Each structure stands twice: as structure tokens, then as C-alpha cells.
Amino acid sequence: MAKASLLSKTLFSAFKLFPKLKKRLRNIFIAGLLVTIPIAFTYFILNFLFKKLDNALSPYFTKFLMLLGAPVTEGFRLPGVGVFMTVVIIFLVGLFTTNIFGKKLVQIGERILARIPIVRSIYTGTKQVATTVLDA
């Protein structure tokens, strides 16, 4: 009889703790998402830009090198063009947005994004995480 009472008390306390454990696991998962999504989003965008710019611009750089007399063949692919051009584009966007005209355009763009329900929550969250990380 004492064993049954002890077992029921143990089960009752386990069920009582389960909602706390469930809430804790949910909070840990959400915290992981809040960190992972902006990082993954940034990775995929940069990877996309690297590949697209590399594929689009590498033939032009090859032709330019050939015009300069460099000993390269027609199919030569210059690695890193996409990375270099992505850095240049990001710098130019930063240069543009730091002047008064650029700041005004960014504000207008943010107001437009703030009116779109799903985009608003994703953009706001990503911006807050990026601001927190870059300000640190």
C-alpha cells in the first residue's frame, strides 16, 4: 500500500513538472530559431550572391585579362569574383544609405515592409538581431 502511494505521488509530481519542462523546451527551441534563422538567411543570401555574381562576371573578367595580355584561355574562371563583387556591392549600399537621400529611401522602404503582415515580423526580427549583433 505504501509503495502504491509513493508511486502515485511520484507520478503526480512528474506530471506537475511536465508543463514547466514543456515550456522550457519550447523556449530553448525558440531561442535557437531566433539565432539560427538570421544566420541561415544571411548565409543563403550571400551564397546566392557569390554564385550568381561569380557566374555572371567571371567571363567578363577573363576577357578583360585576355585584353591585358594575361596568358589565360577562353574558359578560364577567375575564382573569388563573386565574393569580391558582393563585398563591393555591400560597401556601395552602405555608402548610399549613409547619406541623407539614402536614409530617406531606407525609411520609406521600411514603412512599406511594415505594412505587409508576414514580412513585417520577419524583417523586424531580423533587423533587431542584426542590430544587436552589429552594435555589440
Side-chain angles (χ1 to χ4, degrees):
M1 189 79 124
K3 285 185 179 181
S5 175
L6 181 63
L7 181 63
S8 65
K9 285 182 183 178
T10 306
L11 286 174
F12 179 72
S13 62
F15 285 123
K16 197 175 179 182
L17 291 176
F18 186 70
K20 290 180 183 178
L21 177 64
K22 197 166 125 178
K23 185 177 180 180
R24 177 82 174 127
L25 290 175
R26 185 196 71 196
N27 289 344
I28 290 171
F29 185 77
I30 290 172
L33 277 176
L34 290 175
V35 170
T36 306
I37 287 174
I39 292 170
F41 189 65
T42 303
Y43 170 78
F44 287 120
I45 287 175
L46 289 177
N47 191 28
F48 174 79
L49 284 174
F50 292 162
K51 288 181 180 178
K52 288 295 182 184
L53 289 173
D54 214 22
N55 290 337
L57 298 177
S58 193
Y60 294 109
F61 277 98
T62 301
K63 288 180 183 177
F64 179 69
L65 289 175
M66 291 171 70
L67 287 173
L68 292 176
V72 294
T73 60
E74 185 67 38
F76 178 73
R77 305 289 292 180
L78 190 62
V81 172
V83 174
F84 175 74
M85 290 308 295
T86 301
V87 170
V88 168
I89 289 171
I90 290 171
F91 180 79
L92 291 174
V93 167
L95 184 66
F96 178 73
T97 57
T98 54
N99 68 38
I100 296 170
F101 181 69
K103 287 180 184 180
K104 199 65 170 167
L105 281 177
V106 169
Q107 288 174 351
I108 291 169
E110 286 180 343
R111 273 191 249 133
I112 291 170
L113 290 175
R115 293 181 181 164
I116 305 170
I118 295 172
V119 174
R120 172 182 52 224
S121 59
I122 294 171
Y123 178 77
T124 305
T126 305
K127 184 178 177 187
Q128 287 174 348
V129 170
T131 302
T132 302
V133 169
L134 293 175
D135 286 344

mmCIF file of all heavy atoms in Angstrom, residues 38-87:
data_model
loop_
_atom_site.group_PDB
_atom_site.id
_atom_site.type_symbol
_atom_site.label_atom_id
_atom_site.label_comp_id
_atom_site.label_asym_id
_atom_site.label_seq_id
_atom_site.Cartn_x
_atom_site.Cartn_y
_atom_site.Cartn_z
ATOM 1 N N PRO A 38 18.357 34.127 -38.689
ATOM 2 C CA PRO A 38 19.112 35.220 -39.331
ATOM 3 C C PRO A 38 20.465 34.765 -39.891
ATOM 4 O O PRO A 38 20.881 35.219 -40.955
ATOM 5 C CB PRO A 38 19.310 36.243 -38.212
ATOM 6 C CG PRO A 38 18.263 35.940 -37.219
ATOM 7 C CD PRO A 38 18.006 34.473 -37.310
ATOM 8 N N ILE A 39 21.131 33.852 -39.186
ATOM 9 C CA ILE A 39 22.415 33.354 -39.674
ATOM 10 C C ILE A 39 22.220 32.571 -40.968
ATOM 11 O O ILE A 39 22.941 32.788 -41.953
ATOM 12 C CB ILE A 39 23.114 32.488 -38.600
ATOM 13 C CG1 ILE A 39 23.536 33.359 -37.420
ATOM 14 C CG2 ILE A 39 24.305 31.742 -39.180
ATOM 15 C CD1 ILE A 39 24.006 32.582 -36.215
ATOM 16 N N ALA A 40 21.236 31.673 -40.981
ATOM 17 C CA ALA A 40 20.973 30.881 -42.186
ATOM 18 C C ALA A 40 20.515 31.775 -43.333
ATOM 19 O O ALA A 40 20.951 31.598 -44.476
ATOM 20 C CB ALA A 40 19.923 29.812 -41.884
ATOM 21 N N PHE A 41 19.669 32.727 -43.031
ATOM 22 C CA PHE A 41 19.174 33.658 -44.048
ATOM 23 C C PHE A 41 20.342 34.430 -44.666
ATOM 24 O O PHE A 41 20.456 34.535 -45.887
ATOM 25 C CB PHE A 41 18.162 34.614 -43.390
ATOM 26 C CG PHE A 41 17.421 35.476 -44.343
ATOM 27 C CD1 PHE A 41 16.544 34.936 -45.262
ATOM 28 C CD2 PHE A 41 17.589 36.855 -44.321
ATOM 29 C CE1 PHE A 41 15.847 35.746 -46.143
ATOM 30 C CE2 PHE A 41 16.905 37.675 -45.196
ATOM 31 C CZ PHE A 41 16.024 37.111 -46.117
ATOM 32 N N THR A 42 21.226 34.932 -43.825
ATOM 33 C CA THR A 42 22.400 35.655 -44.303
ATOM 34 C C THR A 42 23.299 34.750 -45.130
ATOM 35 O O THR A 42 23.771 35.139 -46.200
ATOM 36 C CB THR A 42 23.198 36.230 -43.111
ATOM 37 O OG1 THR A 42 22.337 37.063 -42.350
ATOM 38 C CG2 THR A 42 24.404 37.019 -43.583
ATOM 39 N N TYR A 43 23.516 33.522 -44.659
ATOM 40 C CA TYR A 43 24.346 32.572 -45.395
ATOM 41 C C TYR A 43 23.782 32.304 -46.786
ATOM 42 O O TYR A 43 24.507 32.346 -47.779
ATOM 43 C CB TYR A 43 24.478 31.260 -44.611
ATOM 44 C CG TYR A 43 25.110 30.160 -45.418
ATOM 45 C CD1 TYR A 43 26.485 30.128 -45.619
ATOM 46 C CD2 TYR A 43 24.337 29.169 -46.014
ATOM 47 C CE1 TYR A 43 27.074 29.132 -46.380
ATOM 48 C CE2 TYR A 43 24.905 28.179 -46.781
ATOM 49 C CZ TYR A 43 26.282 28.155 -46.959
ATOM 50 O OH TYR A 43 26.851 27.173 -47.724
ATOM 51 N N PHE A 44 22.486 32.036 -46.864
ATOM 52 C CA PHE A 44 21.885 31.714 -48.158
ATOM 53 C C PHE A 44 21.890 32.912 -49.108
ATOM 54 O O PHE A 44 22.128 32.756 -50.303
ATOM 55 C CB PHE A 44 20.471 31.166 -47.982
ATOM 56 C CG PHE A 44 20.448 29.768 -47.434
ATOM 57 C CD1 PHE A 44 19.811 29.491 -46.243
ATOM 58 C CD2 PHE A 44 21.086 28.732 -48.092
ATOM 59 C CE1 PHE A 44 19.799 28.209 -45.724
ATOM 60 C CE2 PHE A 44 21.081 27.443 -47.581
ATOM 61 C CZ PHE A 44 20.434 27.180 -46.385
ATOM 62 N N ILE A 45 21.666 34.090 -48.597
ATOM 63 C CA ILE A 45 21.698 35.277 -49.457
ATOM 64 C C ILE A 45 23.111 35.520 -49.970
ATOM 65 O O ILE A 45 23.315 35.749 -51.168
ATOM 66 C CB ILE A 45 21.166 36.512 -48.708
ATOM 67 C CG1 ILE A 45 19.655 36.418 -48.562
ATOM 68 C CG2 ILE A 45 21.542 37.796 -49.433
ATOM 69 C CD1 ILE A 45 19.048 37.521 -47.745
ATOM 70 N N LEU A 46 24.101 35.466 -49.083
ATOM 71 C CA LEU A 46 25.474 35.688 -49.518
ATOM 72 C C LEU A 46 25.945 34.591 -50.472
ATOM 73 O O LEU A 46 26.610 34.874 -51.474
ATOM 74 C CB LEU A 46 26.411 35.789 -48.315
ATOM 75 C CG LEU A 46 26.271 37.048 -47.478
ATOM 76 C CD1 LEU A 46 27.201 36.991 -46.268
ATOM 77 C CD2 LEU A 46 26.531 38.295 -48.296
ATOM 78 N N ASN A 47 25.582 33.352 -50.183
ATOM 79 C CA ASN A 47 25.937 32.239 -51.069
ATOM 80 C C ASN A 47 25.311 32.441 -52.444
ATOM 81 O O ASN A 47 25.967 32.246 -53.475
ATOM 82 C CB ASN A 47 25.485 30.922 -50.447
ATOM 83 C CG ASN A 47 26.039 29.725 -51.169
ATOM 84 O OD1 ASN A 47 27.099 29.784 -51.775
ATOM 85 N ND2 ASN A 47 25.317 28.632 -51.106
ATOM 86 N N PHE A 48 24.053 32.852 -52.471
ATOM 87 C CA PHE A 48 23.361 33.124 -53.734
ATOM 88 C C PHE A 48 24.076 34.235 -54.502
ATOM 89 O O PHE A 48 24.347 34.115 -55.698
ATOM 90 C CB PHE A 48 21.903 33.512 -53.448
ATOM 91 C CG PHE A 48 21.137 33.960 -54.651
ATOM 92 C CD1 PHE A 48 20.637 33.028 -55.546
ATOM 93 C CD2 PHE A 48 20.917 35.307 -54.891
ATOM 94 C CE1 PHE A 48 19.926 33.440 -56.664
ATOM 95 C CE2 PHE A 48 20.208 35.728 -55.996
ATOM 96 C CZ PHE A 48 19.712 34.783 -56.887
ATOM 97 N N LEU A 49 24.396 35.326 -53.801
ATOM 98 C CA LEU A 49 25.091 36.440 -54.448
ATOM 99 C C LEU A 49 26.468 36.029 -54.965
ATOM 100 O O LEU A 49 26.843 36.377 -56.085
ATOM 101 C CB LEU A 49 25.237 37.617 -53.487
ATOM 102 C CG LEU A 49 23.987 38.443 -53.239
ATOM 103 C CD1 LEU A 49 24.255 39.470 -52.144
ATOM 104 C CD2 LEU A 49 23.544 39.136 -54.501
ATOM 105 N N PHE A 50 27.218 35.288 -54.145
ATOM 106 C CA PHE A 50 28.549 34.847 -54.574
ATOM 107 C C PHE A 50 28.460 34.062 -55.875
ATOM 108 O O PHE A 50 29.176 34.335 -56.833
ATOM 109 C CB PHE A 50 29.219 33.968 -53.514
ATOM 110 C CG PHE A 50 29.601 34.668 -52.249
ATOM 111 C CD1 PHE A 50 29.853 33.940 -51.111
ATOM 112 C CD2 PHE A 50 29.721 36.050 -52.174
ATOM 113 C CE1 PHE A 50 30.216 34.554 -49.925
ATOM 114 C CE2 PHE A 50 30.080 36.677 -50.997
ATOM 115 C CZ PHE A 50 30.325 35.929 -49.870
ATOM 116 N N LYS A 51 27.566 33.079 -55.894
ATOM 117 C CA LYS A 51 27.465 32.206 -57.073
ATOM 118 C C LYS A 51 26.958 32.963 -58.297
ATOM 119 O O LYS A 51 27.501 32.811 -59.393
ATOM 120 C CB LYS A 51 26.562 31.017 -56.770
ATOM 121 C CG LYS A 51 27.195 30.017 -55.839
ATOM 122 C CD LYS A 51 26.273 28.847 -55.578
ATOM 123 C CE LYS A 51 26.931 27.849 -54.634
ATOM 124 N NZ LYS A 51 26.045 26.738 -54.319
ATOM 125 N N LYS A 52 25.912 33.756 -58.127
ATOM 126 C CA LYS A 52 25.343 34.487 -59.271
ATOM 127 C C LYS A 52 26.349 35.483 -59.840
ATOM 128 O O LYS A 52 26.526 35.569 -61.056
ATOM 129 C CB LYS A 52 24.053 35.215 -58.872
ATOM 130 C CG LYS A 52 22.882 34.298 -58.638
ATOM 131 C CD LYS A 52 22.487 33.616 -59.926
ATOM 132 C CE LYS A 52 21.291 32.734 -59.680
ATOM 133 N NZ LYS A 52 20.910 31.964 -60.841
ATOM 134 N N LEU A 53 26.976 36.248 -58.967
ATOM 135 C CA LEU A 53 27.949 37.226 -59.447
ATOM 136 C C LEU A 53 29.186 36.549 -60.031
ATOM 137 O O LEU A 53 29.746 37.027 -61.019
ATOM 138 C CB LEU A 53 28.344 38.180 -58.325
ATOM 139 C CG LEU A 53 27.260 39.167 -57.895
ATOM 140 C CD1 LEU A 53 27.704 39.939 -56.672
ATOM 141 C CD2 LEU A 53 26.917 40.109 -59.026
ATOM 142 N N ASP A 54 29.594 35.435 -59.442
ATOM 143 C CA ASP A 54 30.738 34.701 -59.965
ATOM 144 C C ASP A 54 30.440 34.181 -61.378
ATOM 145 O O ASP A 54 31.248 34.337 -62.292
ATOM 146 C CB ASP A 54 31.073 33.529 -59.040
ATOM 147 C CG ASP A 54 32.549 33.237 -58.974
ATOM 148 O OD1 ASP A 54 33.348 34.138 -59.287
ATOM 149 O OD2 ASP A 54 32.908 32.109 -58.603
ATOM 150 N N ASN A 55 29.264 33.588 -61.556
ATOM 151 C CA ASN A 55 28.879 33.060 -62.870
ATOM 152 C C ASN A 55 28.666 34.167 -63.899
ATOM 153 O O ASN A 55 28.989 34.008 -65.070
ATOM 154 C CB ASN A 55 27.617 32.202 -62.766
ATOM 155 C CG ASN A 55 27.870 30.894 -62.041
ATOM 156 O OD1 ASN A 55 28.993 30.413 -61.987
ATOM 157 N ND2 ASN A 55 26.833 30.338 -61.457
ATOM 158 N N ALA A 56 28.130 35.286 -63.462
ATOM 159 C CA ALA A 56 27.825 36.367 -64.402
ATOM 160 C C ALA A 56 29.061 37.179 -64.775
ATOM 161 O O ALA A 56 29.208 37.592 -65.931
ATOM 162 C CB ALA A 56 26.761 37.284 -63.804
ATOM 163 N N LEU A 57 29.949 37.409 -63.830
ATOM 164 C CA LEU A 57 31.052 38.334 -64.069
ATOM 165 C C LEU A 57 32.382 37.670 -64.415
ATOM 166 O O LEU A 57 33.245 38.316 -65.002
ATOM 167 C CB LEU A 57 31.237 39.233 -62.845
ATOM 168 C CG LEU A 57 30.050 40.122 -62.511
ATOM 169 C CD1 LEU A 57 30.321 40.896 -61.237
ATOM 170 C CD2 LEU A 57 29.750 41.061 -63.655
ATOM 171 N N SER A 58 32.548 36.418 -64.064
ATOM 172 C CA SER A 58 33.819 35.753 -64.327
ATOM 173 C C SER A 58 34.201 35.754 -65.808
ATOM 174 O O SER A 58 35.365 36.009 -66.140
ATOM 175 C CB SER A 58 33.799 34.337 -63.770
ATOM 176 O OG SER A 58 35.097 33.805 -63.755
ATOM 177 N N PRO A 59 33.268 35.507 -66.749
ATOM 178 C CA PRO A 59 33.656 35.580 -68.168
ATOM 179 C C PRO A 59 34.133 36.973 -68.588
ATOM 180 O O PRO A 59 35.065 37.091 -69.399
ATOM 181 C CB PRO A 59 32.371 35.200 -68.912
ATOM 182 C CG PRO A 59 31.573 34.424 -67.936
ATOM 183 C CD PRO A 59 31.913 34.996 -66.599
ATOM 184 N N TYR A 60 33.532 38.016 -68.046
ATOM 185 C CA TYR A 60 33.962 39.379 -68.390
ATOM 186 C C TYR A 60 35.360 39.669 -67.862
ATOM 187 O O TYR A 60 36.183 40.299 -68.526
ATOM 188 C CB TYR A 60 32.968 40.410 -67.864
ATOM 189 C CG TYR A 60 31.628 40.318 -68.527
ATOM 190 C CD1 TYR A 60 30.515 39.850 -67.845
ATOM 191 C CD2 TYR A 60 31.468 40.674 -69.857
ATOM 192 C CE1 TYR A 60 29.287 39.755 -68.457
ATOM 193 C CE2 TYR A 60 30.240 40.580 -70.494
ATOM 194 C CZ TYR A 60 29.151 40.118 -69.779
ATOM 195 O OH TYR A 60 27.941 40.022 -70.398
ATOM 196 N N PHE A 61 35.642 39.212 -66.637
ATOM 197 C CA PHE A 61 36.975 39.399 -66.089
ATOM 198 C C PHE A 61 38.005 38.594 -66.883
ATOM 199 O O PHE A 61 39.129 39.044 -67.078
ATOM 200 C CB PHE A 61 37.016 39.017 -64.602
ATOM 201 C CG PHE A 61 36.548 40.112 -63.703
ATOM 202 C CD1 PHE A 61 35.245 40.126 -63.228
ATOM 203 C CD2 PHE A 61 37.402 41.132 -63.321
ATOM 204 C CE1 PHE A 61 34.809 41.150 -62.392
ATOM 205 C CE2 PHE A 61 36.976 42.149 -62.486
ATOM 206 C CZ PHE A 61 35.676 42.163 -62.031
ATOM 207 N N THR A 62 37.609 37.393 -67.334
ATOM 208 C CA THR A 62 38.512 36.589 -68.161
ATOM 209 C C THR A 62 38.836 37.320 -69.460
ATOM 210 O O THR A 62 40.001 37.401 -69.869
ATOM 211 C CB THR A 62 37.877 35.217 -68.461
ATOM 212 O OG1 THR A 62 37.611 34.548 -67.224
ATOM 213 C CG2 THR A 62 38.795 34.357 -69.301
ATOM 214 N N LYS A 63 37.809 37.872 -70.108
ATOM 215 C CA LYS A 63 38.044 38.627 -71.344
ATOM 216 C C LYS A 63 38.906 39.864 -71.084
ATOM 217 O O LYS A 63 39.767 40.207 -71.885
ATOM 218 C CB LYS A 63 36.715 39.025 -71.984
ATOM 219 C CG LYS A 63 35.985 37.856 -72.598
ATOM 220 C CD LYS A 63 34.676 38.271 -73.217
ATOM 221 C CE LYS A 63 33.965 37.034 -73.749
ATOM 222 N NZ LYS A 63 32.663 37.332 -74.306
ATOM 223 N N PHE A 64 38.671 40.518 -69.961
ATOM 224 C CA PHE A 64 39.470 41.684 -69.602
ATOM 225 C C PHE A 64 40.938 41.303 -69.410
ATOM 226 O O PHE A 64 41.842 41.994 -69.877
ATOM 227 C CB PHE A 64 38.904 42.331 -68.328
ATOM 228 C CG PHE A 64 39.662 43.532 -67.865
ATOM 229 C CD1 PHE A 64 39.634 44.714 -68.591
ATOM 230 C CD2 PHE A 64 40.417 43.491 -66.701
ATOM 231 C CE1 PHE A 64 40.337 45.829 -68.169
ATOM 232 C CE2 PHE A 64 41.121 44.594 -66.270
ATOM 233 C CZ PHE A 64 41.080 45.775 -67.007
ATOM 234 N N LEU A 65 41.167 40.170 -68.724
ATOM 235 C CA LEU A 65 42.538 39.692 -68.532
ATOM 236 C C LEU A 65 43.188 39.337 -69.864
ATOM 237 O O LEU A 65 44.381 39.582 -70.077
ATOM 238 C CB LEU A 65 42.559 38.482 -67.598
ATOM 239 C CG LEU A 65 42.265 38.753 -66.125
ATOM 240 C CD1 LEU A 65 42.188 37.459 -65.343
ATOM 241 C CD2 LEU A 65 43.318 39.669 -65.534
ATOM 242 N N MET A 66 42.405 38.760 -70.785
ATOM 243 C CA MET A 66 42.937 38.418 -72.103
ATOM 244 C C MET A 66 43.314 39.683 -72.871
ATOM 245 O O MET A 66 44.330 39.711 -73.573
ATOM 246 C CB MET A 66 41.923 37.574 -72.887
ATOM 247 C CG MET A 66 41.755 36.179 -72.305
ATOM 248 S SD MET A 66 40.384 35.252 -73.028
ATOM 249 C CE MET A 66 41.019 34.932 -74.654
ATOM 250 N N LEU A 67 42.488 40.745 -72.744
ATOM 251 C CA LEU A 67 42.814 42.014 -73.399
ATOM 252 C C LEU A 67 44.095 42.634 -72.842
ATOM 253 O O LEU A 67 44.839 43.296 -73.563
ATOM 254 C CB LEU A 67 41.662 43.004 -73.248
ATOM 255 C CG LEU A 67 40.414 42.740 -74.089
ATOM 256 C CD1 LEU A 67 39.310 43.705 -73.703
ATOM 257 C CD2 LEU A 67 40.751 42.889 -75.568
ATOM 258 N N LEU A 68 44.326 42.416 -71.558
ATOM 259 C CA LEU A 68 45.547 42.929 -70.931
ATOM 260 C C LEU A 68 46.771 42.095 -71.292
ATOM 261 O O LEU A 68 47.891 42.479 -70.977
ATOM 262 C CB LEU A 68 45.392 42.982 -69.414
ATOM 263 C CG LEU A 68 44.389 43.998 -68.866
ATOM 264 C CD1 LEU A 68 44.285 43.860 -67.353
ATOM 265 C CD2 LEU A 68 44.799 45.412 -69.248
ATOM 266 N N GLY A 69 46.547 40.953 -71.945
ATOM 267 C CA GLY A 69 47.660 40.102 -72.363
ATOM 268 C C GLY A 69 48.001 38.999 -71.387
ATOM 269 O O GLY A 69 49.052 38.376 -71.515
ATOM 270 N N ALA A 70 47.143 38.747 -70.416
ATOM 271 C CA ALA A 70 47.402 37.663 -69.464
ATOM 272 C C ALA A 70 47.262 36.324 -70.186
ATOM 273 O O ALA A 70 46.378 36.163 -71.032
ATOM 274 C CB ALA A 70 46.429 37.745 -68.299
ATOM 275 N N PRO A 71 48.107 35.360 -69.847
ATOM 276 C CA PRO A 71 48.045 34.066 -70.526
ATOM 277 C C PRO A 71 46.921 33.181 -69.975
ATOM 278 O O PRO A 71 47.161 32.214 -69.259
ATOM 279 C CB PRO A 71 49.412 33.454 -70.243
ATOM 280 C CG PRO A 71 49.823 34.058 -68.937
ATOM 281 C CD PRO A 71 49.220 35.436 -68.924
ATOM 282 N N VAL A 72 45.683 33.519 -70.275
ATOM 283 C CA VAL A 72 44.532 32.725 -69.831
ATOM 284 C C VAL A 72 43.762 32.263 -71.056
ATOM 285 O O VAL A 72 43.748 32.922 -72.086
ATOM 286 C CB VAL A 72 43.601 33.521 -68.888
ATOM 287 C CG1 VAL A 72 44.302 33.844 -67.586
ATOM 288 C CG2 VAL A 72 43.102 34.788 -69.537
ATOM 289 N N THR A 73 43.082 31.118 -70.907
ATOM 290 C CA THR A 73 42.287 30.587 -72.015
ATOM 291 C C THR A 73 40.858 31.109 -71.904
ATOM 292 O O THR A 73 40.461 31.687 -70.890
ATOM 293 C CB THR A 73 42.282 29.049 -71.980
ATOM 294 O OG1 THR A 73 41.713 28.616 -70.742
ATOM 295 C CG2 THR A 73 43.692 28.494 -72.120
ATOM 296 N N GLU A 74 40.080 30.859 -72.951
ATOM 297 C CA GLU A 74 38.704 31.370 -73.030
ATOM 298 C C GLU A 74 37.817 30.856 -71.892
ATOM 299 O O GLU A 74 37.002 31.576 -71.351
ATOM 300 C CB GLU A 74 38.085 30.988 -74.384
ATOM 301 C CG GLU A 74 36.705 31.560 -74.614
ATOM 302 C CD GLU A 74 36.703 33.068 -74.752
ATOM 303 O OE1 GLU A 74 37.629 33.631 -75.353
ATOM 304 O OE2 GLU A 74 35.763 33.696 -74.235
ATOM 305 N N GLY A 75 37.957 29.619 -71.483
ATOM 306 C CA GLY A 75 37.102 29.035 -70.439
ATOM 307 C C GLY A 75 37.597 29.260 -69.026
ATOM 308 O O GLY A 75 37.041 28.722 -68.076
ATOM 309 N N PHE A 76 38.626 30.061 -68.868
ATOM 310 C CA PHE A 76 39.203 30.301 -67.547
ATOM 311 C C PHE A 76 38.191 30.970 -66.627
ATOM 312 O O PHE A 76 37.533 31.926 -67.006
ATOM 313 C CB PHE A 76 40.453 31.176 -67.683
ATOM 314 C CG PHE A 76 41.104 31.524 -66.376
ATOM 315 C CD1 PHE A 76 41.818 30.587 -65.668
ATOM 316 C CD2 PHE A 76 40.986 32.809 -65.856
ATOM 317 C CE1 PHE A 76 42.429 30.914 -64.462
ATOM 318 C CE2 PHE A 76 41.583 33.149 -64.662
ATOM 319 C CZ PHE A 76 42.307 32.194 -63.959
ATOM 320 N N ARG A 77 38.047 30.423 -65.425
ATOM 321 C CA ARG A 77 37.139 31.004 -64.425
ATOM 322 C C ARG A 77 37.989 31.604 -63.312
ATOM 323 O O ARG A 77 38.825 30.937 -62.732
ATOM 324 C CB ARG A 77 36.216 29.941 -63.825
ATOM 325 C CG ARG A 77 35.395 29.150 -64.816
ATOM 326 C CD ARG A 77 34.326 29.936 -65.448
ATOM 327 N NE ARG A 77 33.313 30.282 -64.476
ATOM 328 C CZ ARG A 77 32.257 30.981 -64.757
ATOM 329 N NH1 ARG A 77 32.057 31.391 -65.971
ATOM 330 N NH2 ARG A 77 31.382 31.275 -63.839
ATOM 331 N N LEU A 78 37.793 32.846 -63.067
ATOM 332 C CA LEU A 78 38.530 33.534 -62.016
ATOM 333 C C LEU A 78 37.782 33.351 -60.697
ATOM 334 O O LEU A 78 36.712 33.941 -60.496
ATOM 335 C CB LEU A 78 38.661 35.020 -62.370
ATOM 336 C CG LEU A 78 39.588 35.853 -61.515
ATOM 337 C CD1 LEU A 78 41.016 35.325 -61.616
ATOM 338 C CD2 LEU A 78 39.540 37.293 -61.954
ATOM 339 N N PRO A 79 38.309 32.515 -59.796
ATOM 340 C CA PRO A 79 37.592 32.280 -58.534
ATOM 341 C C PRO A 79 37.638 33.515 -57.637
ATOM 342 O O PRO A 79 38.625 34.247 -57.623
ATOM 343 C CB PRO A 79 38.352 31.113 -57.900
ATOM 344 C CG PRO A 79 39.696 31.135 -58.522
ATOM 345 C CD PRO A 79 39.542 31.759 -59.884
ATOM 346 N N GLY A 80 36.566 33.744 -56.924
ATOM 347 C CA GLY A 80 36.520 34.846 -55.979
ATOM 348 C C GLY A 80 35.928 36.129 -56.518
ATOM 349 O O GLY A 80 35.776 37.089 -55.772
ATOM 350 N N VAL A 81 35.571 36.152 -57.792
ATOM 351 C CA VAL A 81 34.967 37.364 -58.362
ATOM 352 C C VAL A 81 33.645 37.668 -57.657
ATOM 353 O O VAL A 81 33.351 38.813 -57.326
ATOM 354 C CB VAL A 81 34.763 37.225 -59.890
ATOM 355 C CG1 VAL A 81 33.967 38.391 -60.444
ATOM 356 C CG2 VAL A 81 36.092 37.105 -60.596
ATOM 357 N N GLY A 82 32.855 36.615 -57.408
ATOM 358 C CA GLY A 82 31.567 36.797 -56.731
ATOM 359 C C GLY A 82 31.727 37.332 -55.328
ATOM 360 O O GLY A 82 30.980 38.221 -54.900
ATOM 361 N N VAL A 83 32.705 36.810 -54.597
ATOM 362 C CA VAL A 83 32.955 37.286 -53.229
ATOM 363 C C VAL A 83 33.384 38.750 -53.260
ATOM 364 O O VAL A 83 32.864 39.584 -52.512
ATOM 365 C CB VAL A 83 34.030 36.416 -52.537
ATOM 366 C CG1 VAL A 83 34.408 36.992 -51.184
ATOM 367 C CG2 VAL A 83 33.554 34.988 -52.385
ATOM 368 N N PHE A 84 34.318 39.066 -54.150
ATOM 369 C CA PHE A 84 34.807 40.441 -54.264
ATOM 370 C C PHE A 84 33.677 41.400 -54.631
ATOM 371 O O PHE A 84 33.522 42.460 -54.014
ATOM 372 C CB PHE A 84 35.933 40.514 -55.303
ATOM 373 C CG PHE A 84 36.419 41.909 -55.560
ATOM 374 C CD1 PHE A 84 37.206 42.564 -54.631
ATOM 375 C CD2 PHE A 84 36.064 42.573 -56.720
ATOM 376 C CE1 PHE A 84 37.648 43.859 -54.860
ATOM 377 C CE2 PHE A 84 36.497 43.864 -56.963
ATOM 378 C CZ PHE A 84 37.296 44.511 -56.024
ATOM 379 N N MET A 85 32.884 41.026 -55.619
ATOM 380 C CA MET A 85 31.806 41.909 -56.063
ATOM 381 C C MET A 85 30.712 42.041 -54.995
ATOM 382 O O MET A 85 30.107 43.101 -54.866
ATOM 383 C CB MET A 85 31.225 41.427 -57.389
ATOM 384 C CG MET A 85 32.179 41.623 -58.557
ATOM 385 S SD MET A 85 32.827 43.309 -58.705
ATOM 386 C CE MET A 85 31.348 44.223 -59.074
ATOM 387 N N THR A 86 30.461 40.974 -54.233
ATOM 388 C CA THR A 86 29.484 41.064 -53.143
ATOM 389 C C THR A 86 29.958 42.062 -52.095
ATOM 390 O O THR A 86 29.176 42.885 -51.608
ATOM 391 C CB THR A 86 29.252 39.685 -52.507
ATOM 392 O OG1 THR A 86 28.775 38.783 -53.507
ATOM 393 C CG2 THR A 86 28.244 39.751 -51.373
ATOM 394 N N VAL A 87 31.238 42.019 -51.754
ATOM 395 C CA VAL A 87 31.800 42.974 -50.791
ATOM 396 C C VAL A 87 31.684 44.394 -51.338
ATOM 397 O O VAL A 87 31.299 45.323 -50.611
ATOM 398 C CB VAL A 87 33.267 42.609 -50.453
ATOM 399 C CG1 VAL A 87 33.941 43.718 -49.658
ATOM 400 C CG2 VAL A 87 33.323 41.301 -49.687
#
